Amino acid sequence: MIRPLVARLAQMLFVMAGISVITFAIFFATPGSDPSARIAGRNATPETLAAVRLSFGLDQPLPVQYGLLMQRLFITQDLTSFMNRGEKVVPQIVAATPVTLSLVAGAALLWVAGAGLFGVLAALRPGRALDRGLMLLGLVGVSMPVYWLGAVVNLVTQSRFHDSWLFSWVPPLGYIAFADDPWGWFKVLVLPSFTLAVFYIGLYSRVLRSALIEANQQDYIRTARAKGLSERRVLLAHALRTSLVSVVTLFGLDFGALVGGGALLTEVVFGLPGIGKLTYDALQALDLPVIMATVMYASFFVVAANALVDMLYAFIDPRVRDA
Amino acid sequence: MTHLVGGPAATPAYAPGLWRPVLRRLRADRGALAAAVLLLAIVALCLAAPLYAARIAQTDPFRSNISGQITVNGAARAVIEDNAEGLGLGQTPIGPTGAASYLLGADSQGRDVAARLLYGGRASLLIATVATLLCMGLGGALGVVAGYFGGVVDAVLSRLLDVLWAFPVYLLAISLSIVAVGSGLHLGPLVIDSGNPLLPAFIIGLVGVPYVARPVRAQVQALRRSDFVLAAIGIGVPTPRILLVDVLPNVSSTLLVLVPLLMAINMLTESALSFLSIGVQAPAASWGTIIQDGLALLYTRPLVALAPGLAIMLTVLSLNLLGEALRDALDPRLAGRRS
């Protein structure tokens, strides 16, 4: 029981180290241009360039530079932006985190409910019109660029039909903190969460349906039917429970990935100042210290979340637990 | 993603007509046929972009035309019209004219949206195709090598793939793009400069490598232990020949199924990168950059942003439908369980 956990943790640390080396190499060791010019941003003065060189130790060997960057990112946390002079990067990320978490949590709630409903409905009568329709709808959902869907939602709710009774409640784009106004926080997050959830509703309802149909052919389901249980009870109490195991793993991975950067496009379209928006603004300004920091923190979060899911999985699934 | 029940050796690769029944099943699938027709139509339209711009719309979709005049139904109209609404200070590009020129209206630079849409599609399709080929080639090769040779080679490659796999796709693509957009890409003798549309293709292809390499590696690992490969090794068949004749045909269906699905994902990634302004660089256009341009006009001329999004959706949808049909056609057992 303990051995696999330790092994998984060791693997997590290895992957984190690997990611940090790759990120460092991309930003500091790509041939072709001077990293100090890249970090300082557009139209930097010679003084800024000199400051960058000193601050990142660019005159020292690469391993020292790597160590210095890691130290400033994670230990002293005093990495500063050269575009917005003196603005510390790490506190910005910390401040943006609740926004992203709110958005992703809302979306997760919607997609679990939506996918559960659609997946079960489709699996009730495989091959029938309802099943085919829902599955096609799911495929459409996974085929749309999320930022475009967000633009369509904005067009309908902010402009074309904003004055109708249906969408007059929609607040202007932006974010309201939960502590300031819980009801406003809720209203501001409904549509972005829905937009973000559409892709996952499509994906998960398809996954759940396949898992249910596969479970339906297992022996224990035949046993349950033979006991004379109602079809509904067989589906909901027996088939759904086993099917959930695969969905739960997927859910953990996707939730982690969304918090760590996947929600970027949605945040940009709806003007939500989360980690993704922070990255986007830094991209527009070519503010590399901010990008480096968000990339590093977000991917570490994703890797840690994945490791956690794997370990939880061992507790959920007795087949893995006892192996 | 794919369920390989009983291992890949269950279907002999050289049975006459492995592909014929697959094709037959594909042809019998009406959804797949419709998707293929739609995809071909989109590709053909996009390939005809220069023809459309020169002959029908008679415009240069890459030159801004802010003070231009066109004739619609006999009346002369400015391409960028002064806006009388509100304070009357704004300017609005001309909306859909329904005529040959500016069929879908103009964007904020006074460029023909319909012509740009076709050119943008060309770029998007090209990038997604090149990226997919790169994924397939590099991922397939890495997977075969790691799976077949095992040992130290496999350990090193697998750890590298683990790290790439765990790196969030957008973050890796963003990191690579932001550096490459500034200075181009220098890989030894290979130099891709920053304006080249192949740069995003290269980045997207690289990011997708683990998605191909990992399933291929697992399958080749199983093949390596199979009787016919062991027999081939036993009678002294040279390794390259074993890889080519015994291993590759057996992973070909895995690779084939991945093609449309990967292409769909690559289309979406390309559009996202271009939307974030780190994909295709101006003055070139892709569907993603046109949506980005159109966002500024979203409430006045929504079509500029809506049309390329619809185009992406239809293309990706038909690719997904094709991918699904292909998977079912290659593994009828699965199809039976699915329907």
Side-chain angles (χ1 to χ4, degrees):
Chain A
M1 192 68 225
I2 298 297
R3 277 266 295 270
L5 287 188
V6 173
R8 189 64 187 80
L9 275 177
Q11 198 214 348
M12 179 187 90
L13 291 177
F14 172 80
V15 170
M16 282 179 172
I19 286 181
S20 71
V21 170
I22 291 180
T23 314
F24 169 79
I26 291 174
F27 285 105
F28 287 87
T30 346
S33 79
D34 176 11
S36 64
R38 225 182 270 147
I39 292 163
R42 285 197 193 96
N43 311 323
T45 57
E47 291 82 57
T48 317
L49 286 181
V52 170
R53 267 187 219 113
L54 186 72
S55 150
F56 287 91
L58 291 180
D59 47 356
Q60 296 180 45
L62 283 176
V64 178
Q65 291 181 27
Y66 171 80
L68 200 60
L69 180 69
M70 290 305 126
Q71 187 197 349
R72 301 195 56 195
L73 266 175
F74 295 107
I75 299 169
T76 54
Q77 304 190 346
D78 63 346
L79 196 71
T80 48
S81 156
F82 286 89
M83 310 289 292
N84 302 318
R85 214 159 286 267
E87 185 87 56
K88 285 215 173 74
V89 176
V90 178
Q92 282 182 293
I93 297 179
V94 173
T97 308
V99 184
T100 304
L101 276 178
S102 308
L103 170 69
V104 176
L109 219 62
L110 283 171
W111 100 55
V112 167
L117 183 68
F118 291 163
V120 170
L121 278 180
L124 278 177
R125 290 190 179 70
R128 294 291 191 79
L130 182 66
D131 174 35
R132 283 167 179 270
L134 282 175
M135 288 306 107
L136 186 65
L137 207 63
L139 213 52
V140 171
V142 301
S143 301
M144 280 185 287
V146 61
Y147 59 91
W148 178 77
L149 181 64
V152 173
V153 168
N154 279 341
L155 176 67
V156 170
T157 63
Q158 299 280 349
S159 167
R160 291 300 186 265
F161 295 98
H162 184 65
D163 297 330
S164 73
W165 59 271
L166 198 56
F167 294 121
S168 53
W169 59 271
V170 178
L173 298 182
Y175 182 69
I176 298 168
F178 180 78
D180 294 345
D181 174 7
W183 178 234
W185 172 81
F186 175 78
K187 281 199 294 186
V188 101
L189 283 171
V190 170
L191 289 170
S193 298
F194 167 76
T195 305
L196 184 56
V198 165
F199 178 91
Y200 294 94
I201 293 177
L203 187 69
Y204 279 64
S205 54
R206 296 174 71 84
V207 171
L208 185 60
R209 170 187 173 276
S210 307
L212 281 173
I213 291 175
E214 202 173 317
N216 262 331
Q217 303 183 334
Q218 304 286 329
D219 291 340
Y220 68 91
I221 295 292
R222 199 179 311 141
T223 312
R225 285 216 180 89
K227 282 196 303 188
L229 294 184
S230 72
E231 199 57 24
R232 173 185 311 226
R233 208 179 144 71
V234 169
L235 187 76
L236 293 183
H238 291 74
L240 191 60
R241 263 182 80 172
T242 21
S243 307
L244 278 183
V245 173
S246 59
V247 176
V248 164
T249 328
L250 203 59
F251 177 82
L253 298 182
D254 282 332
F255 191 88
L258 278 181
V259 174
L264 173 108
L265 298 160
T266 315
E267 287 178 13
V268 171
V269 181
F270 289 100
L272 296 171
I275 303 172
K277 184 72 163 42
L278 189 67
T279 316
Y280 175 79
D281 292 340
L283 275 178
Q284 303 307 306
L286 292 180
D287 193 349
L288 259 68
V290 177
I291 300 173
M292 270 186 293
T294 50
V295 166
M296 213 79 99
Y297 268 87
S299 25
F300 276 21
F301 176 83
V302 174
V303 173
N306 290 357
L308 193 69
V309 168
D310 279 355
M311 289 187 235
L312 282 180
Y313 187 65
F315 284 105
I316 300 175
D317 192 337
R319 284 168 300 186
V320 179
R321 187 175 56 210
D322 301 335
Chain B
M1 200 153 52
T2 45
H3 304 272
L4 292 163
V5 186
T11 42
Y14 281 133
L18 168 73
W19 298 108
R20 212 171 298 151
V22 170
L23 262 179
R24 199 189 61 229
R25 281 193 289 268
L26 264 184
R27 268 204 300 265
D29 188 338
R30 270 180 300 167
L33 270 186
V37 168
L38 181 63
L39 190 65
L40 280 179
I42 292 173
V43 171
L45 269 175
C46 291
L47 286 181
L51 214 62
Y52 176 85
R55 293 294 170 80
I56 301 176
Q58 299 181 336
T59 152
D60 179 353
F62 297 106
R63 224 186 49 219
S64 56
N65 183 18
I66 292 172
S67 53
Q69 294 269 336
I70 54 161
T71 326
V72 183
N73 299 329
R77 285 174 68 185
V79 170
I80 304 280
E81 295 167 319
D82 286 327
N83 192 345
E85 291 162 35
L87 294 170
L89 298 172
Q91 290 184 314
T92 313
I94 196 168
T97 60
S101 79
Y102 292 97
L103 178 68
L104 299 178
D107 68 3
S108 54
Q109 302 288 311
R111 299 171 295 199
D112 188 320
V113 172
R116 278 179 75 74
L117 191 63
L118 296 186
Y119 270 103
R122 248 168 45 134
S124 291
L125 287 167
L126 175 76
I127 290 171
T129 310
V130 172
T132 307
L133 290 178
L134 195 74
C135 279
M136 288 294 148
L138 204 58
L142 284 179
V144 168
V145 167
Y148 189 84
F149 293 104
V152 183
V153 180
D154 179 39
V156 172
L157 287 180
S158 292
R159 292 296 85 75
L160 190 69
L161 288 174
D162 279 349
V163 172
L164 274 183
W165 173 275
F167 212 138
V169 172
Y170 281 131
L171 295 181
L172 180 56
I174 284 174
S175 307
L176 284 169
S177 305
I178 189 75
V179 169
V181 157
S183 52
L185 202 68
H186 302 252
L187 284 175
L190 178 73
V191 175
I192 310 177
D193 49 64
S194 52
N196 196 322
L198 288 181
L199 190 61
F202 186 81
I203 289 168
I204 296 165
L206 209 62
V207 169
V209 161
Y211 293 84
V212 180
R214 285 171 58 128
V216 169
R217 170 182 168 272
Q219 207 178 343
V220 171
Q221 235 173 9
L223 280 172
R224 175 71 176 73
R225 291 189 296 265
S226 68
D227 289 341
F228 65 95
V229 170
L230 290 177
I233 296 172
I235 58 171
V237 179
T239 309
R241 201 176 146 76
I242 296 179
L243 289 181
L244 221 59
V245 176
D246 295 315
V247 174
L248 207 56
N250 275 298
V251 292
S252 60
S253 67
T254 306
L255 284 173
L256 199 66
V257 166
L258 277 173
V259 168
L261 298 176
L262 210 57
M263 177 111 178
I265 294 174
N266 288 345
M267 293 275 320
L268 288 177
T269 312
E270 183 280 323
S271 92
L273 286 184
S274 291
F275 174 76
L276 296 174
S277 70
I278 44 177
V280 172
Q281 297 296 306
S286 81
W287 283 335
T289 62
I290 302 175
I291 297 181
Q292 165 78 298
D293 292 344
L295 278 191
L297 297 167
L298 187 62
Y299 298 153
T300 47
R301 293 283 175 245
L303 207 59
V304 183
L306 291 189
L310 269 178
I312 295 175
M313 192 180 93
L314 288 177
T315 314
V316 175
L317 180 63
S318 56
L319 283 167
N320 277 331
L321 280 170
L322 270 181
E324 200 157 86
L326 196 60
R327 192 182 50 199
D328 290 349
L330 281 168
D331 192 348
R333 265 177 319 176
L334 214 58
R337 207 183 320 155
R338 269 165 205 285
S339 56

